[in-house]
Amino acid sequence: MAATGEYLDPNKGLFAGSQALTFDDVLVVPGYSEVLPDNVDTTAVLGGIELRVPLISAAMDTVTEAPLAIAMAREGGIGILHRNLTPAEQAEQVDLVKRAQAGMISNPISLPPTATLDDAETLMATHKISGVPICEPDGRLVGILTNRDIRFCTPDEYGQPVTDFMTSDGLVTAPVGTTLEGAKAVLHKYRIEKLPLVDGDGLLAGLITVKDIDKRIEKPNASLDASGRLRVGAAIGVTDTAERADLLAQAGVDMLVIDTAHGHTAGVIEAVRTIKKGWPEITVVGGNVVTAEGVDALVEAGADVVKVGVGAGSICTTRIVAGAGMPQMTAIYECAMAARAHGVPIIADGGVVTSGDIVKCFAAGANAVMVGNLLAGTDEAPGDLELVDGAMWKTYRGMGSAGAMRGRAADRYGSGQTPGKHVPEGVEARVRYAGSISDLIGQMAGGLRSGMGYAGAADIEELRTRSRLVRITQSGLRESHPHDVAVMRDE
Ligand code: XMP
């Protein structure tokens, strides 16, 4: 890997001087390649988190809530839950993601033998689970009640204790430490769906389910924590940092992303310090910055990862309203050079509308890419589909738009600190319906792999350090798009 300042000459020339460039100004130069797109490795590591598909969903209220965060993690990326929510509501969203999939459920929800069938039904409906272990108050497992046991119960039986219906004789359990493979064999042998794990004293210590094993097999690239649960991040601001971090940490959040429009500020530096000191085990992302000095300041404060981009987002008006910002290719390049000296990864945030843009982010030095626009039209994004002019759309708005600034994340922007005096730095818009996250991420990751093939990069590190970018003219850009044809289908 090239050390700081050793970028290939074309890059140096490209980024030298005061002219800043963005996606459409450059292309990755095809180079000698021994790699095939199907064989490249797209894994990236951000602090303590490994992502097989280094794509991150934006912390925006029209993009990332639990359903999208679950889908992103299952595809190998990660979602960052927005913060236009109370700290308790946001922590609940973290909990939803964490409970969506597990290797072993280490704190299974249980009921005492005195609970009624009615209690069990309510509990299973609330938590969307199909069975519940029954334990004495001291934690000793006495049985398990599953949907199968109560399928044909009549209404008058709902007042009876769960012990009348649960399976207790011949209850199949396994010892603590049983692997998923071992559990699979037991589940198969006894044709059961849930396997409680018990310790030497017969106390319930965990639960392994067929559903979780199936999910593991179905999505082998999923981003998982040490307990086999999906990874999730959450946005955090500079006004209620400690309170929010505390609740999010209790819910099991993996990554805290300080979500501000201008991260090279005293407030953000202080927020990084606060989180790093109080919750050192959580990966802290500081941002957003676009200069080497900004990166230095956040890394010195303790940021594990730095997020890069000011005014590049498709819904942003910061550059128009404030006259400030940095075209994204130059921002990534400058910040990557500084971050490299610290051994810290960066996330490129904003402006990405094609898989080609994603490739360019990495070629300029990014370790991962955050996207909002690309995901806002998917099934899993919040909001309903709208039919306009014969096409399906979903709402997508900037977190600095007038509508979003009425929420709790208004302190993202300078003017947001003064309620009622907001100066919007984003628009409210809509984007085309984009289908499922799974299909979309498949397309984006496919484009990334293809770009790696052209660059001759076997992994993300090679793409970041070995690829060359060339600056293009407006004629080159015109040539890049379909031209001199009547396009009949643009998918
Ligand atoms: P894309 O291009 O994916 O960008 O839509 C998403 C990123 O844009 C940032 N963001 C904003 N920036 N005004 C801004 O200047 C806004 O209202 C706004 N809302 C989001 C944010 O970094 C996000 O990840």
Side-chain angles (χ1 to χ4, degrees):
M1 150 180 166
T4 311
E6 286 175 15
Y7 260 66
L8 297 171
D9 278 346
N11 279 354
K12 267 191 195 160
L14 181 64
F15 288 104
S18 60
Q19 195 167 35
L21 306 175
T22 193
F23 298 102
D24 279 354
D25 296 320
V26 300
L27 283 173
V28 175
V29 181
Y32 173 69
S33 184
E34 289 180 0
V35 298
L36 291 172
D38 281 349
N39 299 334
V40 299
D41 179 2
T42 59
T43 304
V45 179
L46 300 178
I49 298 174
E50 184 182 280
L51 303 178
R52 305 243 176 109
V53 178
L55 297 178
I56 303 176
S57 71
M60 299 172 73
D61 59 9
T62 47
V63 180
T64 313
E65 290 189 348
L68 190 129
I70 290 168
M72 284 298 290
R74 279 170 61 70
E75 296 307 319
I78 191 169
I80 311 300
L81 298 162
H82 73 86
R83 63 186 178 94
N84 247 351
L85 299 166
T86 63
E89 287 166 345
Q90 196 187 19
E92 229 167 83
Q93 295 274 311
V94 170
D95 190 57
L96 281 174
V97 181
K98 285 293 172 190
R99 287 193 180 276
Q101 180 172 330
M104 182 195 82
I105 303 161
S106 52
N107 55 345
I109 299 162
S110 63
L111 277 175
T114 48
T116 63
L117 202 52
D118 200 34
D119 297 331
E121 254 259 308
T122 310
L123 187 84
M124 292 198 278
T126 311
H127 294 278
K128 297 196 177 68
I129 52 177
S130 59
V132 56
I134 311 298
C135 297
E136 295 289 0
D138 66 356
R140 198 167 52 81
L141 180 72
V142 292
I144 187 164
L145 184 83
T146 68
N147 274 342
R148 264 204 325 214
D149 300 316
I150 60 175
R151 194 172 300 151
F152 300 113
C153 283
T154 52
D156 54 304
E157 289 174 311
Y158 271 71
Q160 289 176 226
V162 285
T163 41
D164 289 356
F165 304 92
M166 70 185 187
T167 302
S168 55
D169 292 340
L171 181 64
V172 180
T173 64
V176 173
T178 302
T179 61
L180 282 189
E181 278 308 308
K184 199 171 143 189
V186 178
L187 289 163
H188 175 63
K189 180 171 173 196
Y190 295 99
R191 308 288 194 271
I192 51 174
E193 305 245 316
K194 291 182 191 295
L195 181 63
L197 304 188
V198 289
D199 66 13
D201 298 325
L203 304 183
L204 178 67
L207 186 71
I208 294 177
T209 72
V210 166
K211 223 187 254 171
D212 286 323
I213 293 177
D214 283 348
K215 286 178 182 170
R216 271 290 253 274
I217 294 167
E218 193 195 341
K219 297 285 180 188
N221 287 333
S223 308
L224 303 176
D225 65 17
S227 312
R229 301 175 303 172
L230 296 173
R231 295 277 198 193
V232 65
I236 191 160
V238 291
T239 47
D240 55 3
T241 314
E243 180 201 357
R244 208 172 266 272
D246 191 35
L247 288 180
L248 294 168
Q250 283 181 41
V253 77
D254 298 283
M255 182 185 266
L256 285 174
V257 179
I258 300 172
D259 161 56
T260 62
H262 184 24
H264 194 184
T265 58
V268 174
I269 290 168
E270 196 43 44
V272 171
R273 285 207 187 102
T274 304
I275 301 174
K276 218 47 226 177
K277 192 159 162 235
W279 298 271
E281 71 288 358
I282 297 179
T283 296
V284 176
V285 181
N288 278 14
V289 296
V290 289
T291 61
E293 307 89 77
V295 171
D296 293 344
L298 294 181
V299 172
E300 276 154 28
D304 302 301
V305 183
V306 174
K307 191 148 68 71
V308 175
V310 173
S314 59
I315 33 50
C316 298
T317 54
T318 292
R319 295 183 192 168
I320 308 305
V321 171
M326 179 77 79
Q328 188 68 346
M329 277 285 104
T330 293
I332 296 169
Y333 177 78
E334 295 281 339
C335 291
M337 295 287 274
R340 187 185 305 260
H342 297 287
V344 162
I346 64 163
I347 299 170
D349 174 20
V352 166
V353 286
T354 64
S355 54
D357 293 343
I358 293 172
V359 179
K360 293 175 190 178
C361 286
F362 289 109
N367 301 74
V369 179
M370 176 173 267
V371 284
N373 180 308
L374 270 177
L375 309 177
T378 57
D379 293 320
E380 291 84 350
D384 296 324
L385 283 173
E386 253 183 288
L387 181 66
V388 182
D389 294 336
M392 302 303 276
W393 303 81
K394 276 188 119 168
T395 299
Y396 180 44
R397 67 180 187 184
M399 291 304 282
S401 65
M405 290 260 271
R406 284 194 279 276
R408 293 175 167 264
D411 67 359
R412 199 171 188 278
Y413 298 88
S415 73
Q417 311 274 4
T418 322
K421 295 256 190 291
H422 300 153
V423 178
E425 289 186 27
V427 296
E428 296 175 46
R430 59 169 84 96
V431 289
R432 286 243 186 201
Y433 172 58
S436 72
I437 282 285
S438 176
D439 289 347
L440 188 99
I441 297 296
Q443 286 296 314
M444 294 303 125
L448 171 58
R449 282 197 298 272
S450 179
M452 292 169 75
Y454 283 106
D459 57 29
I460 292 290
E461 198 49 29
E462 286 191 5
L463 183 60
R464 294 180 62 234
T465 54
R466 286 209 201 149
S467 46
R468 292 182 299 164
L469 287 159
V470 65
R471 189 171 173 188
I472 62 171
T473 61
Q474 282 300 309
S475 334
L477 178 61
R478 179 177 175 272
E479 186 184 62
S480 299
H481 288 273
H483 55 89
D484 302 301
V485 291
V487 176
M488 294 165 69
R489 216 181 124 145
D490 66 354
E491 292 164 53

